[in-house]
Amino acid sequence: MKIGVFDSGLGGLFVLRSIQKKLPQYDYVYFGDTARVPYGDRSQAEIYRFTRQGVEYLFTQGCSLVILACNTASTQALRKIQREYLPKRYPNRRVLGVIIPTVEAALARAPKSVGVIATQRTVDSNAYVKKIFKRTEHVRVFQQPAPQLVPLMESDHVLEAKRMVAAYTQALARTQSSVVILGCTHYGMLRSAFRKSLPVKTRLLVQNDVVPAKLKDYLQRHPEISQRLSQRHTVVINLTKVNPHVRQHAWKWFGKHVPLKFVALAK
Ligand code: DGL
């Protein structure tokens, strides 16, 4: 069995790159819904349906464990997938999200204040705020939606995205937060722009640094899952639309030999 990584688009590939560096032995299957990205301003029903389709596809490709690298999907679809869909259809498979591991990493050094920058849907869900306050009340939390960043990164307008980072972080920078969570897969690709725009003393929490270690830990704690995983060092990338710049990124991060497959899903 393999490890599946789901994202609404290109951003999760960057997270998969970090996972693969830390745990190179496993076999990975990526699903990026590049034809329907961005998810960030879609309805919950739509995000759930799209996410379930992607997860189902990853299951057909032999994945027993799927990571929703997408924060928006983690906030809008994960719970229903775990509580309703898996028990009925795939009781022996697992789907994990990124919100709780990210919150745990953010709170690890007992910060006084936490900033969260994410898509509009993720911010509106208050998922980060709720999960933080469930663990501690001794912290202030600030949220900032950044609705333009995903569309700009997906259309390869990186310079414009960097300019928008400066604008989106102005209010967050004034909060002087101890830590700022980049709560979207795509934002990791803009790490240096965020670094420049936030105070030096603010710690930047990027999911590329969090998810691989948390996955390693999960696999150690769940031998019933890890023992079923094949170890042939492979990566296969599935996309609902193969854009030239996504292909360039895939080649840059995984080498030109990486199989890039087009997947057609029901509308
Ligand atoms: N990768 C998604 C996330 O982490 C981006 C959401 C979107 O498609 O708008 O939230």
Side-chain angles (χ1 to χ4, degrees), residues 6-12 36-42 69-74 98 118-122 147 150-151 154 183-187 207:
F6 170 93
D7 191 43
S8 59
L10 159 71
R36 300 189 291 199
V37 69
Y39 282 9
D41 43 14
R42 290 182 184 273
C70 182
N71 290 252
T72 311
S74 294
V98 290
T119 65
Q120 190 69 52
R121 261 285 158 249
T122 298
V150 173
E154 287 289 339
C184 175
T185 50
H186 295 68
Y187 303 174
Q207 287 174 327

